[in-house]
Amino acid sequence: MARLLLIEDDDPTAAEIDAELTLRGFLVARAADGPTGLCRAREEPWDVLVVDRMLPGLDGLSVVERLRNEGIRIPTLILSALGGIDDKVRGLRSGGDDYLTKPFALAELSARLEALLRRPTESRETILHVGPLELDLVEHRAWRGTRALELVPREYELLGYMMRREGQVVTRAMLLEDVWHYRFVPKTNLVDVHMGRLRRKVDSPGEPPLFTSVHGVGFILRATT
Amino acid sequence: MAWDSSSVRRPDFINTTGFRWGVTVATVATLGIALLFVFIYWQCAVVMIAPIDALISAEADSITSAPEPLLEALAEHVAHDRRHLKVMGLFDAAGQPIAGNLVAQPRPFIADGRLQSIVAFRRGEEAGAPQYARALGRPLADGTILVVGHNIDEFLAMRASVRRGLLLALAPAILLSLGSGAFLGLRAQQRLTLLRTTAVRIAAGQLGERLPVRARGDDLDALAQIVNRMLDEFERLVEDIKGVGEDIAHDLRTPLTWARARLERGRAHATSLEAMNDVVDQALGGIDQALNVAAALLRIAEVEHGQRHAAFGPVDLSDIVGDVGEVYRPLAEDRGIDFAWRLCGSDAAPLMVQGDRDLLIEALANLVDNAVKFAPPGGHVVIELGNTGAGPLLRVCDDGPGISPGDRDHVFRRFFRSDKSRHTQGTGLGLSLVAAVARLHQFGLTIGDNEALAAHHAGDGTEHRTPARGPGCVVELTCWPQAQARISVAPSPRDPAPNPVLAITAPAD
């Protein structure tokens, strides 16, 4: 079970997050202000931190900064009501690993925490394997079993991103940010259309589907169904 | 907004511009008049006496230098004085008269040959009447003193009447200057008071009021006109803000109302867990839409207020067009829309602009997102990037229902969505965001339709190749810094756009 420290001063929000993440198998502890949070983060072994940006006593960014300065590298997600680009940049610069703007879907939060916990290691591998899938990052070629897949450049990137996160829920917002590097939410179902194309190429009729949609959240690529 | 008008201190009368003006005008005019009078009087008193003095000197010379004996010459001069103006006499050293028409040597008198003003008494019929005269006394070699003079009664009378006239005129002249000073001062004061009271009313929130401007148009009127133009702009902004407030309320309330109703009905009527889940999902959709409105609004505020120039750098527009084109092509294809992007003009260098790459992508993607959303199945969407003389021009066209000319003005305002698209999902903030990005970059932004575009190209031989299924929507971003970021509507056929001709050269597919 992943041990998670939630540093959040707003009780109802904290209770919701606590309940949702406990359900999803996290072991959640909570600190209600900056100094307490900093203390607990230092003293106990955590797998992941969720830090609200506005905290009494010591603000969230300072908490993260101090931990990083002390050499504590626990993966950290910053929550904030400040959604500006500059706010986000500042949040990540202070040492946060991910930044989520309030209000957010609880599913989005848990998907991102999952991603933080299972962050792909920076491997030097140039060929990725997931079940029958094989992706050559150098040659830009992909196969499912023996069948070569005809992909456009963006689809190689998308497939690579999914393969590195095998078995994890990947949200639309994560894809927009990480694959397209877009910082806005299209009003059209842009991500679904691209994902649909990739899925149709990867999962031919008759083959066991590797991609699964998670209703209202995103997509999962699984080696086995 | 309410502004207590009593907090504006009414200036003391002495401190008013009008009063100062009046006093200044009156003082200057009075000083001028006084100076003029002094000069006139001086002219009479000093300058007009000079010829008399010269005459006296000449007479004294002619008497002393005459060939006949002095006494005869003197007698002759006296005898010839028919107008009884001459004052002449020869006196011994003790001052006793020897000859001439004087009873005694005038006193005080200095016989040093210089001219002086004297009072003398003549013999004969005028004895006893003082003679006011100019005279000189010349001591002669034998110890006697020759006195030669001239009566100046006439001169004195004239001088007195001049003085009297001047003094009589001085009072009305000073009164007149004081009066005109007061009049001018009061008039200036009245105008300023009018301006002030109007300004106080405006400051108190009556933004419809305008400063009075007279037809004659002096500098005060010019100033009032500038202030009035400023007020026009303020009023427009305030109206916009009011409109935005209503729009926010509407756009937030609509999905929330809908979500609430859905939840209420679900709570009352849902009979199974599935049905309830369905209801909750729909309600969540409504709430998400409301949240998206808030997020989009904050994003626009961030772009509008943010000092994002820090992120400015050289950006290749053709790169952005290709990027956004690739991203949106699958979407357009799925919707059966003919989608294309064209880079017109071959030299790449001028297609570079100084800007924020991410924001420009966001703006273009918003335009394309809109175009794809509104183009009908079987319709067309074209992104064109061309080069005008002044700089790159980016254009996104579709042939959807378009935006009616009446609505185009409002489209760049936050939250506006024309009625035709009310049924389409979206926060209605896309174009407002594009406008904010354009403003930040000082780019021009124009919205029009295909008809306007075709008319625009009618003369230049290029063909606009978006067949019109509907009036369509054409949005142009003129990507060069313009002194005042221009957000405008439709280059209509009758009213050509003020920007340089949009010379999109032959399309290179």
Side-chain angles (χ1 to χ4, degrees):
Chain A
M1 278 238 260
R3 284 150 308 174
L4 179 147
L5 176 63
L6 170 65
I7 311 179
E8 161 69 77
D9 59 326
D10 182 52
D11 290 331
T13 310
E16 281 304 320
I17 294 175
D18 189 345
E20 172 73 13
L21 293 181
T22 306
L23 264 176
R24 288 179 187 259
F26 287 87
L27 207 60
V28 182
R30 183 192 164 208
D33 62 67
T36 317
L38 183 62
C39 262
R40 294 199 65 179
R42 277 178 189 144
E43 287 162 9
E44 296 166 52
W46 304 102
D47 295 309
V48 64
L49 303 179
V50 176
V51 183
D52 185 47
R53 187 161 173 170
M54 311 265 207
L55 287 172
L58 185 67
D59 73 279
L61 294 192
S62 305
V63 170
V64 178
E65 238 158 26
R66 291 200 191 180
L67 289 174
R68 295 302 185 242
N69 287 341
E70 291 165 23
I72 299 171
R73 305 240 167 267
I74 309 167
T76 301
L77 184 143
I78 296 171
L79 291 180
S80 173
L82 304 172
I85 303 300
D86 295 332
D87 298 317
K88 200 160 185 169
V89 168
R90 224 169 295 138
L92 295 179
R93 201 174 287 154
S94 74
D97 299 284
D98 203 352
Y99 191 101
L100 196 54
T101 306
K102 291 176 179 177
F104 49 84
L106 288 167
E108 180 82 33
L109 174 65
S110 77
R112 282 171 184 261
L113 289 174
E114 203 68 52
L116 277 184
L117 285 172
R118 299 161 63 179
R119 210 157 15 158
T121 46
E122 286 298 318
S123 69
R124 297 226 184 94
E125 277 179 70
T126 57
I127 298 180
L128 302 176
H129 292 275
V130 171
L133 274 178
E134 191 178 317
L135 175 65
D136 186 329
L137 294 169
V138 179
E139 300 278 319
H140 267 220
R141 290 192 310 169
W143 298 268
R144 174 166 184 165
T146 54
R147 182 165 62 86
L149 304 175
E150 299 288 329
L151 303 182
V152 298
R154 189 81 71 176
E155 288 169 345
Y156 283 105
E157 237 174 287
L158 183 53
L159 184 60
Y161 187 85
M162 297 299 293
M163 286 174 78
R164 284 195 206 92
R165 287 160 186 76
E166 187 234 325
Q168 297 174 33
V169 177
V170 174
T171 66
R172 290 179 180 82
M174 287 162 77
L175 289 172
L176 273 172
E177 278 171 33
D178 297 338
V179 177
W180 282 276
H181 310 292
Y182 279 11
R183 304 181 312 192
F184 70 102
V185 183
K187 283 158 271 172
T188 45
N189 54 342
L190 192 64
V191 175
D192 295 80
V193 167
H194 281 271
M195 189 55 92
R197 298 210 156 197
L198 179 62
R199 285 174 76 167
R200 281 197 294 281
K201 288 177 184 178
V202 172
D203 299 331
S204 285
E207 291 173 330
L210 301 177
F211 282 101
T212 321
S213 292
V214 182
H215 180 68
V217 184
F219 314 92
I220 306 181
L221 176 70
R222 281 203 188 89
T224 51
T225 49
Chain B
M1 218 45 216
W3 214 52
D4 185 6
S5 61
S6 65
S7 69
V8 187
R9 203 174 64 87
R10 203 188 156 79
D12 297 331
F13 181 67
I14 291 178
N15 278 331
T16 60
T17 315
F19 178 76
R20 290 177 175 179
W21 257 98
V23 168
T24 310
V25 167
T27 309
V28 169
T30 307
L31 280 177
I33 290 166
L35 204 66
L36 183 69
F37 282 17
V38 166
F39 183 75
I40 290 172
Y41 188 71
W42 176 72
Q43 279 288 316
C44 291
V46 178
V47 178
M48 281 175 64
I49 207 120
I52 299 176
D53 286 359
L55 183 70
I56 292 169
S57 294
E59 251 172 4
D61 289 346
S62 85
I63 289 171
T64 49
S65 62
E68 61 265 43
L70 184 72
L71 287 177
E72 276 177 38
L74 190 61
E76 196 171 329
H77 269 280
V78 172
H80 281 97
D81 178 24
R82 288 199 193 101
R83 288 173 64 205
H84 299 280
L85 288 174
K86 290 185 178 165
V87 178
M88 287 178 171
L90 188 67
F91 300 90
D92 62 17
Q96 292 305 310
I98 300 169
N101 59 2
L102 293 179
V103 288
Q105 188 177 338
R107 294 183 195 285
F109 189 70
I110 304 158
D112 58 357
R114 280 190 304 158
L115 277 150
Q116 47 208 293
S117 295
I118 57 159
V119 181
F121 293 91
R122 271 205 287 226
R123 311 167 194 271
E125 56 202 65
E126 291 162 327
Q131 300 285 320
Y132 295 93
R134 291 285 286 175
L136 56 75
R138 201 174 274 183
L140 299 178
D142 58 0
T144 58
I145 294 165
L146 176 65
V147 173
V148 179
H150 220 278
N151 186 303
I152 53 168
D153 280 347
E154 269 180 40
F155 162 76
L156 288 178
M158 196 183 78
R159 196 176 70 171
S161 71
V162 166
R163 186 165 50 201
R164 201 169 47 246
L166 289 181
L167 287 175
L168 279 177
L170 193 62
I174 289 176
L175 281 179
L176 192 67
S177 56
L178 282 174
S180 58
F183 171 71
L184 287 175
L186 278 178
R187 209 176 52 159
Q189 190 54 35
Q190 262 172 3
R191 277 191 75 196
L192 285 175
T193 305
L194 193 61
L195 289 176
R196 193 167 51 93
T197 48
T198 314
V200 167
R201 276 205 303 277
I202 294 166
Q206 296 183 32
L207 282 184
E209 293 265 356
R210 289 296 175 269
L211 298 181
V213 177
R214 296 174 317 169
R216 230 183 320 152
D218 57 9
D219 48 353
L220 213 52
D221 290 317
L223 191 66
Q225 259 167 347
I226 291 170
V227 171
N228 283 346
R229 274 206 295 278
M230 206 163 76
L231 287 169
D232 289 344
E233 183 69 5
F234 281 164
E235 201 179 6
R236 190 185 65 74
L237 287 174
V238 169
E239 283 303 312
D240 273 8
I241 290 169
K242 277 186 198 156
V244 165
E246 286 156 17
D247 289 346
I248 290 176
H250 179 269
D251 275 43
L252 285 178
R253 197 182 275 163
T254 307
L256 289 177
T257 307
W258 180 78
R260 191 189 181 286
R262 202 71 200 85
L263 286 173
E264 196 178 351
R265 278 204 309 125
R267 191 177 193 282
H269 304 298
T271 47
S272 66
L273 189 58
E274 285 77 34
M276 194 62 211
N277 280 345
D278 213 36
V279 165
V280 169
D281 280 350
Q282 287 174 1
L284 282 177
I287 291 168
D288 281 347
Q289 201 186 328
L291 289 175
N292 283 341
V293 168
L297 185 66
L298 288 172
R299 181 86 185 97
I300 290 170
E302 192 198 5
V303 172
E304 278 181 346
H305 301 173
Q307 300 295 314
R308 293 206 47 81
H309 292 279
F312 271 31
V315 178
D316 186 356
L317 286 177
S318 47
D319 186 38
I320 288 182
V321 169
D323 199 77
V324 173
E326 283 295 349
V327 169
Y328 275 91
R329 180 162 57 184
L331 188 71
E333 282 172 2
D334 278 14
R335 294 182 176 212
I337 292 166
D338 181 20
F339 182 74
W341 63 96
R342 297 201 283 260
L343 308 178
C344 312
S346 52
D347 49 351
L351 298 183
M352 303 293 291
V353 293
Q354 275 297 114
D356 182 323
R357 189 188 145 86
D358 289 340
L359 284 182
L360 288 173
I361 286 189
E362 191 169 339
L364 177 61
N366 257 299
L367 292 179
V368 177
D369 208 74
N370 256 333
V372 170
K373 198 166 67 184
F374 289 121
H380 302 74
V381 171
V382 181
I383 314 173
E384 288 176 318
L385 177 64
N387 204 354
T388 68
L393 173 85
L394 189 54
R395 179 188 292 151
V396 178
C397 319
D398 68 58
D399 52 0
I403 300 166
S404 71
D407 282 344
R408 283 174 198 161
D409 261 335
H410 308 289
V411 144
F412 295 121
R413 232 173 65 182
R414 291 174 184 176
F415 285 96
F416 179 82
R417 242 184 312 155
S418 74
D419 283 336
K420 280 181 202 167
S421 63
R422 281 278 172 198
H423 62 275
T424 312
Q425 282 290 312
T427 53
L429 287 168
L431 279 172
S432 298
L433 182 95
V434 175
V437 171
R439 254 186 235 116
L440 181 74
H441 286 79
Q442 296 184 312
F443 290 171
L445 184 63
T446 311
I447 187 163
D449 55 30
N450 286 310
E451 191 195 341
L453 187 62
H456 221 89
H457 283 284
D460 60 11
T462 59
E463 186 191 355
H464 182 58
R465 302 197 304 174
T466 301
R469 292 251 169 158
C473 181
V474 176
V475 182
E476 286 180 341
L477 204 53
T478 45
C479 307
W480 56 88
Q482 286 151 26
Q484 204 171 19
R486 200 167 43 79
I487 311 292
S488 56
V489 297
S492 102
R494 280 173 301 283
D495 172 29
N499 52 342
V501 173
L502 313 169
I504 289 232
T505 49
D509 277 68

